[in-house]
Amino acid sequence: MRLRDLEIFHAVLQAGSVTGAARLLHISQPAASKALQQVERHWGIVLFTRSAGQLYPTEEARQLEEASQGMLGQLDEVKRLAAGLRSGEEQALKVIATPAIAQQLLPQALGQWRRRHAQVRCELATQHTREIVDALLLHEAELGFTLSAPTHPALATRALFSLPLMVLAPEGYWAQESHNVPLPVSTLAGVQLVALGAHDPLARRLDSLLASAEQHEPRMYDHPPHIITRVQTYPLAAALVQSGEGLAVVDALTAYIACTTQGLMARPLPAAGELVLRAVWRRKEGRSRLAQSLADSLARQAAQWLTPAAKA
C-alpha cells in the first residue's frame, strides 16, 4: 500500500466526488479519476458506489478509513515537520503563545525587544499549550510561552515570572477599598463561578481547592460554589464575568488586563497559589540568542505590570 493511494482514498472520502478530490490534491479531474481506479485495482476492493453524481463509500471503505487514519495523521506530521524545517532556514523568529499571554503582554515585550533587533523577522501565533507542544516538536515554532509546564522530554522550560491567582468580579461587586485585598476561599460559598476546562492546570487546582474547602469550611459545606460555565481561555472567562455570568479565578495577567481594559475588579486568592509564566523550546537545539532576548523582555514586562498586584 502506497502513501499516495491513501491520500487519494481519503481525499475522495472527504470531498465526496472525484472533482472535489482533485481540487484538494491540486491535480486534474482526469488524473484523480485514474488514480482512484488504480487504487481500487491495487487493493482489489470496490471502494465507492456512484449515485446522482456523488460517490458513497462502501462498507469496506469505511473499515479501511478507520484503520488508516493513524497512518495518514503520521504522514501529515511528517509534512508539517518538513515544512517547519524548510521554513526555519529563513531565519525568522517563530513564537507561539497562549491567548492570555499573546493578548497584550507579548506585543508589549516584542516592542521592547524590537528596539534592539529591528531587522529580525518575526512570526507570532496563538494556541493552547497542547498545540504549542506540537508546534515546537514539528519545528513550526522556535519559542513558546505558556502558563502550564509541558513535560515532554524533548522540551525544556524556563520560569519567567510567578503569577498570583485572582478572583475576578464585575465592577462594583466589592467595595472599592477592598480591590486587590486578599480574599479567603470561604467567601466563594454559594457563588456562581466561571471556570477553565478540565484540561487546564488552573481548573484542576481550583477544583481541588474547592473540594478541600467544602470539607473544612462550614459555609462552603452548606453553600458550595456552583461552576455554571467552563471555558477554554482566560480572556473568555473575563468576558463572561463582565457579562454577569459569575466570578472567575484567573491568573494575575488576565486580571490586570480585565481591570485596566474592561473595568472589572480583582482580589488575590492566596489559597489557590500561583501559576508560572514559562518559556518553552526544543531541548536539543537550545535557545537562540534572539529567543533568549525575547524571553528576557517578556519577563521584564510581566514584572513591570504585575509586581504591584503580586504585592497587594
Side-chain angles (χ1 to χ4, degrees), residues 271-283:
E274 298 177 326
L275 291 180
V276 178
L277 173 62
R278 298 176 186 274
V280 191
W281 64 94
R282 290 182 294 278
R283 186 183 301 276

Side-chain angles (χ1 to χ4, degrees), residues 161-229:
F161 195 81
S162 294
L163 306 176
L165 294 177
M166 315 281 285
V167 178
L168 202 59
E171 184 178 11
Y173 186 86
W174 297 299
Q176 191 60 42
E177 58 269 20
S178 66
H179 182 71
N180 271 335
V181 175
L183 195 69
V185 68
S186 60
T187 59
L188 298 179
V191 170
Q192 291 191 158
L193 291 176
V194 176
L196 275 293
H199 69 280
D200 190 273
L202 173 53
R204 294 192 293 270
R205 186 180 304 181
L206 178 60
D207 290 345
S208 176
L209 175 64
L210 295 179
S212 176
E214 286 180 31
Q215 294 179 2
H216 300 98
E217 294 277 357
R219 290 181 58 193
M220 298 284 281
Y221 181 82
D222 295 331
H223 303 284
H226 178 44
I227 296 177
I228 57 171
T229 306

Side-chain angles (χ1 to χ4, degrees), residues 93 109-117 122 290 293-294 297:
L93 180 60
L110 185 65
Q112 297 177 2
W113 178 86
R114 178 63 70 192
R115 298 187 189 103
R116 299 187 300 276
H117 306 286
C122 282
L290 294 173
S293 177
L294 181 56
S297 293

Side-chain angles (χ1 to χ4, degrees), residues 84-310:
L85 292 170
R86 181 173 62 251
S87 59
E89 296 174 357
E90 299 173 4
Q91 299 302 312
L93 180 60
K94 298 181 179 181
V95 182
I96 186 167
T98 54
I101 298 168
Q103 185 179 20
Q104 289 195 32
L105 185 62
L106 183 55
Q108 293 291 329
L110 185 65
Q112 297 177 2
W113 178 86
R114 178 63 70 192
R115 298 187 189 103
R116 299 187 300 276
H117 306 286
Q119 303 304 316
V120 178
R121 276 196 317 110
C122 282
E123 295 181 15
L124 306 179
T126 300
Q127 282 289 0
H128 300 298
T129 299
R130 286 177 293 184
E131 288 75 22
I132 288 175
V133 169
D134 290 342
L136 289 168
L137 294 176
L138 292 170
H139 290 249
E140 294 174 344
E142 179 182 347
L143 180 65
F145 294 113
T146 175
L147 296 179
S148 298
T151 56
H152 196 285
L155 299 178
T157 67
R158 170 193 164 194
L160 301 178
F161 195 81
S162 294
L163 306 176
L165 294 177
M166 315 281 285
V167 178
L168 202 59
E171 184 178 11
Y173 186 86
W174 297 299
Q176 191 60 42
E177 58 269 20
S178 66
H179 182 71
N180 271 335
V181 175
L183 195 69
V185 68
S186 60
T187 59
L188 298 179
V191 170
Q192 291 191 158
L193 291 176
V194 176
L196 275 293
H199 69 280
D200 190 273
L202 173 53
R204 294 192 293 270
R205 186 180 304 181
L206 178 60
D207 290 345
S208 176
L209 175 64
L210 295 179
S212 176
E214 286 180 31
Q215 294 179 2
H216 300 98
E217 294 277 357
R219 290 181 58 193
M220 298 284 281
Y221 181 82
D222 295 331
H223 303 284
H226 178 44
I227 296 177
I228 57 171
T229 306
R230 288 193 181 272
V231 297
Q232 283 193 318
T233 69
Y234 299 91
L236 180 54
L240 288 176
V241 170
Q242 186 181 32
S243 72
E245 184 76 358
L247 307 189
V249 178
V250 299
D251 64 280
L253 173 58
T254 299
Y256 172 86
I257 295 170
C259 291
T260 55
T261 64
Q262 298 169 257
L264 300 183
M265 305 182 75
R267 294 177 64 178
L269 188 66
E274 298 177 326
L275 291 180
V276 178
L277 173 62
R278 298 176 186 274
V280 191
W281 64 94
R282 290 182 294 278
R283 186 183 301 276
K284 184 175 180 180
E285 298 166 25
R287 291 165 292 178
S288 69
R289 178 180 59 86
L290 294 173
Q292 175 68 49
S293 177
L294 181 56
D296 291 342
S297 293
L298 193 72
R300 286 192 298 269
Q301 187 65 42
Q304 177 182 334
W305 279 11
L306 302 174
T307 297

